[in-house]
Structure formats: C-alpha cells, structure tokens
Amino acid sequence: MKLALFDFDGTLTTKDSLEEFIIFAVGKRHYYFKLIFFSPIFLLYKLKIMHNSYAKELLFRLFFHKIKESDFKALASSFSAEILNAILREDIYKKFQEHKLNGDRVIVVSASMRCWLEPWTKLESVELLSTELEFKDGEFSGRFSTLNCHGQEKLNRIQKHLNLDDYEEIYAYGDSSGDTQMLSIADKSIKV
C-alpha cells in the first residue's frame, strides 16, 4: 500500500484558507481594520520572537473569542462548501485525485482548522490531521485544543496516527518550511 500526505494551504490551494476564512466570516473591512491591532504580534512572529502557534492563537482570539460554537461551525461549514473548491490548485488536486483512484491512503495534514477542512475531506473521503479549536460551554475559549499542526507537529501527528513501516512508498506534498519534517519522511517529496 502507498501513502500520500498533502499539506492543504498553498499546496492543494492557491490561497491561504485561514485568511480566506476570516474574511468570509467577518468581511474584508473588519478584517483589515482588526489587523492593525494584530500588527505588533505579526512583527514579533516575523522576527522569530513569538512562536507561530501562539501568534495564530492570538489571531483567532482577536476575531472569534466567545463566538458561539454553533455559529462558528455553521460559518466554517458554509465556507467549506462555498469557497474551498474555488481556491484549489488544479495540478496538485489532480495528483490528489490520482492517489485516491490508485487506492492509496490519502491524508491531508494541515495547520488550518478542522472546522472548515473536515467537511471538505469528508466529501473527498480522505483522512485529516489538523489544528483544532477549543470550545467551552458552547463558546470558543480563545485557545487551541491541540498543538498547531505545523512543522514538527505535523510529523508527530502522522507518526501517532499510523505506522510508516506499513507503506511500501510514501509521497508527501508541501509548499513551505512548515512542511519540511513531513517531506523528509517521504520516498517521493514534492515541494510546490
């Protein structure tokens, strides 16, 4: 059996689904206005003073803290249905489909949120390893319930989810430094 691991944002898509989701949820005007308040955090992240996981958690807190879980998940489901197929990268999505048709085990491994990726991966009949939000008492707590599925955490999740020795050949598709560890375990790594 063969295994195919796909990063989502920038690999299967032409745009970052995180940014697209926030704009979808709050509107462009509100998004760019609130980004002004986020700019010091973004600078700390770019200077490698703040870890990307914490910066991302703060970004979600800025836009969605205390949003009702049902409202957030409804937004995520609508976003998944209305937007994700429109931002797919045609050439890599074709490879994704080929792996499925060949009977390979296909897993999307993404730092983006389960809330909007899971409806899409279910329709595609593939597995998903991703970052998850924490909801308490029916509201977003402002925190993640898992580590951000990025860099080393991608590899940790893969190794926890399956036994790599079970596969005769491993393919991995990624586009950024956040995919380096995942790409390193592949027999065939494709950086797009």
Side-chain angles (χ1 to χ4, degrees), residues 3 5 155 158-159 162-168 170 185:
L3 173 67
L5 305 166
L155 181 56
I158 293 163
Q159 290 174 327
L162 49 82
N163 181 358
L164 295 171
D165 293 333
D166 290 344
Y167 301 92
E168 61 190 57
I170 300 172
I185 62 169

Side-chain angles (χ1 to χ4, degrees), residues 34-43 55-56 58-59 62:
K34 277 205 167 183
L35 276 188
I36 295 166
F37 300 105
F38 190 73
S39 57
I41 293 165
F42 184 72
L43 180 63
K56 188 173 176 182
L58 291 175
L59 179 69
L62 176 68

Side-chain angles (χ1 to χ4, degrees), residues 5 9 17 36 82 117 125 162:
L5 305 166
D9 294 306
S17 69
I36 295 166
E82 294 173 34
L117 291 182
S125 300
L162 49 82

Side-chain angles (χ1 to χ4, degrees), residues 63-106:
F63 285 101
F64 301 112
H65 191 235
K66 297 288 186 186
I67 189 173
K68 288 183 180 175
E69 182 175 6
S70 57
D71 292 345
F72 187 89
K73 289 186 174 176
L75 276 170
S77 185
S78 294
F79 172 77
S80 183
E82 294 173 34
I83 305 297
L84 290 186
N85 282 334
I87 63 171
L88 289 176
R89 181 188 295 266
E90 196 174 313
D91 57 336
I92 301 302
Y93 183 65
K94 186 177 175 185
K95 290 282 185 193
F96 177 83
Q97 292 295 337
E98 285 173 11
H99 282 290
K100 286 171 50 180
L101 288 170
N102 291 338
D104 302 339
R105 185 173 183 180
V106 177

Side-chain angles (χ1 to χ4, degrees), residues 106 121 123 130:
V106 177
T121 56
L123 282 173
S130 63

Side-chain angles (χ1 to χ4, degrees), residues 41-182:
I41 293 165
F42 184 72
L43 180 63
L44 291 173
Y45 160 68
K46 280 296 186 186
L47 293 172
K48 299 190 187 299
I49 295 169
M50 182 182 289
H51 194 271
N52 81 328
S53 295
Y54 187 59
K56 188 173 176 182
E57 201 172 70
L58 291 175
L59 179 69
F60 266 85
R61 197 173 300 159
L62 176 68
F63 285 101
F64 301 112
H65 191 235
K66 297 288 186 186
I67 189 173
K68 288 183 180 175
E69 182 175 6
S70 57
D71 292 345
F72 187 89
K73 289 186 174 176
L75 276 170
S77 185
S78 294
F79 172 77
S80 183
E82 294 173 34
I83 305 297
L84 290 186
N85 282 334
I87 63 171
L88 289 176
R89 181 188 295 266
E90 196 174 313
D91 57 336
I92 301 302
Y93 183 65
K94 186 177 175 185
K95 290 282 185 193
F96 177 83
Q97 292 295 337
E98 285 173 11
H99 282 290
K100 286 171 50 180
L101 288 170
N102 291 338
D104 302 339
R105 185 173 183 180
V106 177
I107 306 175
V108 172
V109 187
S110 176
S112 276
M113 299 299 146
R114 176 170 294 277
C115 295
W116 66 77
L117 291 182
E118 189 170 54
W120 187 84
T121 56
K122 279 186 175 179
L123 282 173
E124 292 287 343
S125 300
V126 299
E127 295 168 72
L128 173 65
L129 302 173
S130 63
T131 307
E132 297 184 37
L133 300 175
E134 178 183 79
F135 294 95
K136 284 188 174 177
D137 302 319
E139 295 179 335
F140 173 48
S141 70
R143 303 184 59 84
F144 295 162
S145 66
T146 64
L147 293 174
N148 188 30
C149 191
H150 177 269
Q152 183 60 42
E153 182 59 17
K154 281 193 177 191
L155 181 56
N156 295 344
R157 296 276 191 93
I158 293 163
Q159 290 174 327
K160 187 176 179 181
H161 187 67
L162 49 82
N163 181 358
L164 295 171
D165 293 333
D166 290 344
Y167 301 92
E168 61 190 57
E169 200 165 29
I170 300 172
Y171 294 78
Y173 297 80
D175 74 304
S176 71
S177 60
D179 303 316
T180 302
Q181 290 86 344
M182 180 176 77

